[in-house]
Amino acid sequence: MSNCAIVGINWGDEGKGRMVDLLTQDYDVVIRYQGGSNAGHTVVNEYGKFGLHLLPSGIFRKGVVNVLGNGVALDCEALWQEIENVTAGGVPITPENLKISERVPLLLPYHRDLDSMEEARLADKQYGSTKRGIAPFYGDKYQKKVLLAGELFYPERLRAHLADILEYKNLIVTKVYGGKPYALEDMLAWLEEFGGKLKPFICNTVQYLRDAQRAGKRFLFEAQLGALKDLDFGIVPYTTSSNAVAAYGPVGAGCPGVKLDEVVGVVKAYSTAVGEGPFTAEWFGEEADKLREAGGEYGVSTGRPRRVGPIDLVATRYGVEVQGATTIALTKLDILSYMEKIPVCVRYVVDGQETDEFPFPAALDAAQPVIEYVDGWHCDISGVRRWEDLPRAAQDYVLYIEKAVGCHVGYVSVGAERDAIILR
Ligand code: GDP
């Protein structure tokens, strides 16, 4: 296993953080390649429990180099707060184990404000943004109206470039949203404060990764969110604003010539989603509350209660395909232990026709789930560490999923702790 991506197969929050935390022992470099501080991973290890938003999950491993690639939305203030939280837990973070690409564009305070302004304008048609500025940021990136982290080392150019950007940005803020214009000096002061703190970590990571690759180092690419939130392949427009799919990994990481040898697709044993948009197998009421409580399904970044439902095999199969997953890590199997019978969404009905194919976004609203039930195991499996010790019904559930989505389940997770894993 030389280069590997760990990605979400569904709507995000599948437990990618715990898988990266586990697998970093086999890798030298862990790279975040997309997204910003809008979603979070939870990692539980010997230092404690941490909610990570921007920091790569390899930050807890001695000897592992963590890289924030050019595909990331870098909010200097959010990252600095996270560095402070994690270092307060006793984890060393230095320019040796954290490297920020000089090519990563900077998310500024006005991106966050514009996110809120746009959600307010959309009123009851909101996308369900986390209001961390991600959509306005990526919009600006593609319009080439962003500063790159490396520009912090060129103060004169930075001032002139930011002045040009603000001239345009303030037109939008004032004319479209009726807001107050942003002052150049305020933005420069913010950059000096938070960007200044990050300067020791900013470097030419493209060169670093090239040299590391030549030296035979193994790369782990870490995604945020899942296939169904991918900008191109997800439930548009209720997606994130970047590409979460593994194929984008080497590009967003800063090593576009590197090939992925393995893609670990993380699938939760049931479904959860945050934000708006179609979620075909969704549960409501008491049944949903029970599952949400059992799984602790509240957002890491926002604390929002997550939407929940049974595992959706149509969406999962599609996720496995677009991610090019070579192995599945099935997480949170232990959470289903309370269920007598386990519901599974096996197909959709769209316009009176049963289908196994994940529909085009415009057709998804009309999709209805077809639910089948498999036997539960009704006992605590959180202490199990070997496949043969899993109750037969739990094994059958895993095998059922494996067959339905056509991808080997190589890992079964039965707890949040690093060692609560069954290898198959
Ligand atoms: P991510 O963004 O994909 O990393 O997922 P989150 O961190 O949002 O959600 C996963 C949550 O489930 C975290 O609180 C993990 O600590 C926890 N978790 C991960 N795997 C398991 C598992 O197998 N069992 C249990 N009980 N909790 C798990």
Side-chain angles (χ1 to χ4, degrees):
M1 213 162 42
S2 42
N3 298 312
C4 172
I6 300 194
V7 294
I9 293 298
N10 304 119
W11 298 266
D13 307 315
E14 297 95 345
K16 292 178 293 297
R18 72 95 67 239
M19 289 310 300
V20 182
D21 184 58
L22 175 79
L23 295 179
T24 42
Q25 63 189 351
D26 300 324
Y27 294 88
D28 306 298
V29 185
V30 179
I31 317 162
R32 266 287 303 273
Y33 63 83
Q34 49 82 225
S37 65
N38 52 321
H41 290 310
T42 311
V43 173
V44 184
N45 57 31
E46 67 270 30
Y47 293 103
K49 182 173 178 178
F50 298 89
L52 297 184
H53 304 279
L54 274 161
L55 282 173
S57 309
I59 202 73
F60 302 103
R61 292 273 189 190
K62 222 174 149 195
V64 169
V65 176
N66 296 271
V67 174
L68 284 173
N70 48 276
V72 167
L74 180 64
D75 179 335
C76 296
E77 186 176 358
L79 178 60
W80 182 250
Q81 278 168 6
E82 206 174 311
I83 290 176
E84 287 199 315
N85 282 344
V86 174
T87 46
V91 182
I93 301 182
T94 68
E96 295 308 307
N97 71 344
L98 177 66
K99 298 187 188 295
I100 300 173
S101 170
E102 63 186 6
R103 285 183 170 271
V104 66
L106 302 180
L107 186 149
L108 273 80
Y110 55 74
H111 289 120
R112 296 189 215 130
D113 298 344
L114 281 164
D115 212 346
S116 299
M117 289 181 212
E118 177 58 9
E119 285 288 276
R121 189 194 69 79
L122 284 167
D124 59 348
K125 292 185 190 143
Q126 289 189 10
Y127 295 148
S129 165
T130 55
K131 298 181 185 149
R132 304 294 161 98
I134 305 301
F137 163 85
Y138 279 107
D140 279 359
K141 172 172 172 173
Y142 284 92
Q143 286 207 37
K144 299 160 291 176
K145 296 198 187 309
V146 280
L147 303 171
L148 302 184
E151 288 183 72
L152 291 167
F153 296 102
Y154 301 85
E156 273 172 37
R157 181 197 153 103
L158 180 85
R159 169 178 276 272
H161 191 186
L162 184 56
D164 286 347
I165 291 174
L166 275 185
E167 202 178 297
Y168 163 80
K169 244 14 302 189
N170 280 335
L171 279 176
I172 312 270
V173 171
T174 55
K175 301 243 190 278
V176 176
Y177 296 106
K180 284 211 310 227
Y182 290 87
L184 176 62
E185 298 308 325
D186 290 348
M187 291 299 105
L188 286 171
W190 184 89
L191 281 169
E192 193 168 325
E193 178 172 5
F194 297 107
K197 290 182 158 71
L198 296 180
K199 267 174 151 178
F201 302 95
I202 298 170
C203 59
N204 185 343
T205 55
V206 172
Q207 217 170 68
Y208 168 76
L209 291 172
R210 181 201 64 197
D211 294 345
Q213 189 198 4
R214 284 181 186 161
K217 304 279 184 203
R218 292 153 302 176
F219 295 174
L220 188 61
F221 298 86
E222 179 178 14
Q224 179 208 45
L225 294 164
L228 302 168
K229 294 278 185 180
D230 180 84
L231 179 61
D232 285 273
F233 299 100
I235 50 171
V236 180
Y238 302 101
T239 61
T240 195
S241 306
S242 61
N243 287 108
V245 288
Y248 183 71
V251 177
C255 48
V258 164
K259 304 254 176 321
L260 293 174
D261 302 300
E262 183 155 2
V263 177
V264 176
V266 187
V267 176
K268 202 183 273 189
Y270 52 94
S271 300
T272 63
V274 289
E276 305 300 321
F279 186 42
T280 307
E282 184 164 13
W283 274 354
F284 299 94
E286 226 174 90
E287 215 177 16
D289 292 343
K290 211 166 161 185
L291 181 53
R292 185 178 302 112
E293 283 309 312
E297 297 297 348
Y298 297 89
V300 177
S301 290
T302 59
R304 291 192 289 190
R306 291 178 182 149
R307 301 161 75 187
V308 299
I311 193 166
D312 180 336
L313 297 180
V314 181
T316 302
R317 196 181 307 112
Y318 175 75
V320 164
E321 285 163 10
V322 298
Q323 292 287 18
T326 56
T327 311
I328 285 178
L330 186 70
T331 63
K332 294 194 131 176
L333 190 64
D334 54 306
I335 302 300
L336 300 184
S337 299
Y338 76 91
M339 290 185 183
E340 279 298 310
K341 291 267 179 192
I342 302 189
V344 179
C345 171
V346 289
R347 279 180 298 285
Y348 292 170
V349 177
V350 181
D351 296 332
Q353 299 276 322
E354 290 211 352
T355 180
D356 292 329
E357 298 287 346
F358 192 69
F360 179 71
L364 202 50
D365 285 338
Q368 294 296 322
V370 176
I371 305 290
E372 287 180 5
Y373 291 85
V374 301
D375 287 337
W377 44 93
H378 339 288
C379 63
D380 181 7
I381 56 167
S382 58
V384 176
R385 297 290 177 267
R386 297 189 317 174
W387 173 252
E388 52 273 31
D389 296 335
L390 262 186
R392 186 59 193 263
Q395 287 185 0
D396 286 347
Y397 183 66
V398 176
L399 296 174
Y400 180 94
I401 293 168
E402 182 171 274
K403 186 154 178 244
V405 303
C407 184
H408 175 65
V409 177
Y411 307 87
V412 179
S413 171
V414 291
E417 305 74 29
R418 197 178 266 174
D419 73 327
I421 196 93
I422 296 164
L423 304 181
R424 257 185 93 226

